[in-house]
Amino acid sequence: MDDGGLDTLGQMIVGALPGAAIGHSIDFDQLTVTIQAERVVEVVTFLRDDPRCRFISFIDVTAVDYPGREQRFDLVYHFLSPVLNARVRLRAEIDETTQVPSIIEVFPGVDWFEREAYDLYGVIFTGHPDMRRLLTDYGFDGHPLRKDFPLSGFVEVRYDDAEKRVVYEPVRLNQEFRKFDFLSPWEGADYPVLPGDEKATDKAGG
């Protein structure tokens, strides 16, 4: 489908879902529809069932973190319509406390994708039958794909041969044993004069 057809499709979706779909754009030959997160079930049901759409194939759902924004997350869904040979992206802005309705009753395949978004970003989906972490361990602290999550994490995991079990310990970064030399070899480092270097110094001085 060309950009003209995508634009017509976007206008139709926004017009058919007043207040739920609030705008559309076309980027890189793909239609993006901006929606209200609390009405996502209504939107995806329309996209699946309306004969003008037939977006019957769910692809994925994830999030993008913009910590400088008040609504820090973009929640993003992707769907495919084999009838139209086109894809659509749904985008909703949410914050850390927004509870988003699960679309699992419309697309059962969303199950692990919503769990992953919860695990890695902290997005909460209401109505999901098994809203547990998926990729991180039991008792994991934080959400690793948030941009304010430390690269080192909060704990380190290792197998203790003496105790014959896996142990969790706070991350220790022993900075006092590190030496950081931010100077390049050509600027200001106090290196000893090597044999022959004194000739270059004499020429520069002369």
Side-chain angles (χ1 to χ4, degrees), residues 98-153:
T98 303
Q99 296 191 6
V100 182
S102 172
I103 64 169
I104 198 167
E105 295 297 326
V106 186
F107 289 97
V110 79
D111 186 355
W112 280 17
F113 290 90
E114 289 184 341
R115 286 181 60 187
E116 180 184 54
Y118 163 68
D119 190 2
L120 301 183
Y121 289 96
V123 178
I124 300 171
F125 296 91
T126 59
H128 191 286
D130 189 21
M131 185 85 318
R132 294 178 297 144
R133 288 184 179 272
L134 180 68
L135 300 174
T136 57
D137 203 357
Y138 300 106
F140 188 88
D141 185 15
H143 303 283
L145 288 189
R146 289 188 177 187
K147 290 183 179 175
D148 53 7
F149 188 84
L151 293 178
S152 62

Side-chain angles (χ1 to χ4, degrees), residues 82-95:
V83 175
L84 300 178
N85 190 25
R87 298 173 185 265
V88 66
R89 175 188 298 115
L90 302 182
R91 171 185 166 273
E93 292 189 9
I94 61 174
D95 61 23

Side-chain angles (χ1 to χ4, degrees), residues 39-73:
R39 297 180 64 178
V40 63
V41 175
E42 175 188 351
V43 174
V44 301
T45 302
F46 173 83
L47 292 179
R48 183 193 66 180
D49 296 343
D50 191 280
R52 296 169 293 179
C53 299
R54 299 298 289 150
F55 286 95
I56 61 174
S57 179
F58 165 78
I59 298 175
D60 67 7
V61 57
T62 186
V64 185
D65 186 13
Y66 299 96
R69 289 188 340 199
E70 183 177 352
Q71 301 281 86
R72 70 178 290 179
F73 298 115

